[in-house]
Amino acid sequence: MSDRYAIDSHKLMYHPQRVANFLDAHDDWEKMKTVYPIYVEISPVGACNHRCTFCAVDYIGYKPIRLSLPVIEKALAEMGENGVKSVMFAGEGEPMLHKEIDRMVMAAHKAGIDTAMTTNASVLSDAFVENALPLMSWIKASFNAGTPQTYAKVHQTKESDFNRVVSNLKRMVEARNTHGYSCVLGAQIVLLPENAAEVETLARICRNEIGLDYLVVKPYSQHTFSNTHVYEDISYQGYTGLQAKLAQFNTDKFNVVYRENTMKKHDEGETTRYKKCLATPAFWGYIMATGAVYGCSAYLLDSRFDYGNINEKSFGDIWEGEIRRRNFDYVRNELDIRECRLNCRMDEVNRYLDRLVRKDVQHINFI
């Protein structure tokens, strides 16, 4: 199985009770307000030590702000009590730059929440390896080239960071394997004209040199607000042969997940999409490094999707509050999803929910 983690699909069908609560609520806010997200993305810091050419949130400005540990500890505890199942530490900046990131992971674990991280892996502390790695479900490194030279161009950093990332990932793999931790360790590359010729090289490094569990090859997705427009007209039709070449790297212990489905949707554009976003504001959320809680990461800094701040209110008060109610009405009745990012993180979830709500298969009672 080349996508054992369903990276190119979705996993909402494994949460039938939450979906049932959502369907039962329909347009009734008193019911919908207590439908808490299954998944929340958290940005521990706004700063980043790289300036990737494809960065979707460059418009935010990589500000040197960070979440307070006591504030996020309180929020995580409350989130766990209200049914949040998972958090991914990622965001506007590089999460490993937060000096207390290990304690954030520990707080999430204590709250009964599964934890994960997307990182450039250029920074790695002893505390993280000792305290956080044993508790995490997965860590994915954004690793967008197969040579130091191309890596430096795409990540807009020093060539020496390439070998530092390899070293840091090897260290985590060694610690995981030595102690028997369950954390899945992988990497992802955004397929671009600059790095397309090096994907096979990167797959070889990930499998043979580092010992990772997988490499994801994903398409670029243009963010509506991004300052970067270099890749907005990119097409993936010319890369169809790459998938077959990468299949040779698949083993029982390593997989290349070539996101063929997502690339196809990218090239098709708006033609196959649903008409409404149903995932927002029900199944996921986003917490910025400022503490602001958003209903969708494609609309960071857009006041329509800013529900409140955990530095000022509890997560529960924010999630069940008036601003989210207004956003719920807006998304249901006014939002034109042509304004939204194509292939957003909730795209497959939305396709699934759209089929459920519309009952697009006839004779559904004949199971």
Side-chain angles (χ1 to χ4, degrees):
M1 184 178 180
S2 60
D3 189 10
R4 66 184 66 172
Y5 307 109
I7 292 171
D8 202 27
S9 182
H10 75 96
K11 287 161 275 195
L12 186 58
M13 75 282 279
Y14 297 106
H15 301 274
Q17 187 59 58
R18 198 72 59 93
V19 174
N21 293 343
F22 165 82
L23 293 173
D24 180 59
H26 191 52
D27 290 329
D28 185 340
W29 170 248
E30 288 304 311
K31 292 182 178 179
M32 184 63 72
K33 73 179 183 180
T34 59
V35 178
Y36 274 72
I38 294 171
Y39 162 74
V40 176
E41 295 183 20
I42 298 176
S43 179
V45 294
C48 188
N49 56 342
H50 288 185
R51 294 292 184 271
C52 298
T53 58
F54 58 84
C55 182
V57 291
D58 54 3
Y59 70 97
I60 294 176
Y62 313 106
K63 297 175 182 177
I65 51 179
R66 61 189 60 220
L67 285 172
S68 158
L69 179 62
V71 169
I72 197 63
E73 285 177 331
K74 180 181 178 182
L76 286 166
E78 189 177 6
M79 288 158 61
E81 291 172 358
N82 284 287
V84 173
K85 300 291 187 183
S86 66
V87 296
M88 180 179 74
F89 294 103
E92 313 104 74
E94 167 50 48
M96 289 287 199
L97 292 178
H98 198 296
K99 296 184 184 300
E100 296 172 304
I101 184 63
D102 61 311
R103 295 181 64 183
M104 290 186 178
V105 171
M106 294 166 68
H109 184 264
K110 182 179 179 181
I113 300 174
D114 292 343
T115 60
M117 178 181 291
T118 297
T119 170
N120 64 35
S122 63
V123 178
L124 182 65
S125 68
D126 293 342
F128 185 87
V129 174
E130 294 169 8
N131 301 326
L133 181 63
L135 306 178
M136 301 192 72
S137 296
W138 55 265
I139 297 170
K140 187 188 302 175
S142 180
F143 200 4
N144 295 282
T147 65
Q149 295 76 25
T150 303
Y151 180 88
K153 291 177 182 178
V154 174
H155 283 254
Q156 297 196 82
T157 187
K158 304 181 294 295
E159 290 185 11
S160 59
D161 273 5
F162 181 90
N163 291 326
R164 181 175 294 110
V165 170
V166 170
S167 177
N168 286 342
L169 291 174
K170 287 171 70 174
R171 183 183 176 193
M172 285 194 283
V173 168
E174 181 180 1
R176 188 268 309 269
N177 293 348
T178 298
H179 298 288
Y181 303 148
S182 60
C183 183
V184 173
L185 298 169
Q188 70 179 17
I189 179 172
V190 177
L191 186 58
L192 304 170
E194 296 95 317
N195 62 24
E198 298 182 4
V199 180
E200 291 176 77
T201 301
L202 179 60
R204 191 172 291 108
I205 291 171
C206 289
R207 187 188 71 174
N208 298 345
E209 185 175 346
I210 303 174
L212 294 179
D213 299 303
Y214 64 82
L215 170 66
V216 176
V217 183
K218 62 182 289 187
Y220 174 78
S221 175
Q222 180 65 47
H223 195 293
T224 307
F225 303 153
S226 177
N227 295 325
T228 302
H229 293 275
V230 177
Y231 308 109
E232 63 181 337
D233 296 320
I234 194 171
S235 171
Y236 287 98
Q237 294 179 9
Y239 296 108
T240 53
L242 180 59
Q243 183 177 15
K245 293 179 180 178
L246 292 170
Q248 67 179 306
F249 294 98
N250 291 336
T251 68
D252 291 340
K253 296 183 178 179
F254 179 82
N255 292 107
V256 177
V257 181
Y258 188 87
R259 297 192 63 174
E260 179 184 20
N261 181 41
T262 307
M263 291 184 192
K264 180 181 178 182
K265 291 186 296 181
H266 176 278
D267 289 346
E268 289 175 346
E270 302 287 345
T271 58
T272 63
R273 281 222 277 187
Y274 35 87
K275 303 303 181 184
K276 291 184 177 182
C277 175
L278 296 173
T280 303
F283 292 101
W284 76 314
Y286 187 102
I287 301 178
M288 292 186 70
T290 60
V293 178
Y294 280 77
C296 177
S297 66
Y299 289 95
L300 301 181
L301 302 188
D302 186 327
S303 60
R304 295 174 300 177
F305 291 82
D306 181 349
Y307 301 159
N309 196 298
I310 58 172
N311 289 300
E312 301 165 1
K313 296 181 179 180
S314 72
F315 186 84
D317 286 344
I318 292 170
W319 196 254
E320 298 185 23
E322 173 63 18
I323 300 176
R324 180 170 167 258
R325 185 200 64 77
R326 292 201 300 265
N327 182 249
F328 170 68
D329 290 339
Y330 172 75
V331 172
R332 282 292 177 92
N333 302 310
E334 298 180 46
L335 177 66
D336 184 349
I337 66 165
R338 288 176 295 182
E339 299 176 11
C340 298
R341 185 179 185 181
L342 190 64
N343 278 335
C344 77
R345 196 178 296 279
M346 290 293 114
D347 181 66
E348 283 294 320
V349 167
N350 269 320
R351 291 171 188 264
Y352 172 67
L353 292 172
D354 181 60
R355 292 193 298 271
L356 283 179
V357 170
R358 289 191 299 108
K359 298 181 173 64
D360 70 344
V361 176
Q362 294 183 3
H363 308 152
I364 60 172
N365 293 330
F366 292 88
I367 60 173

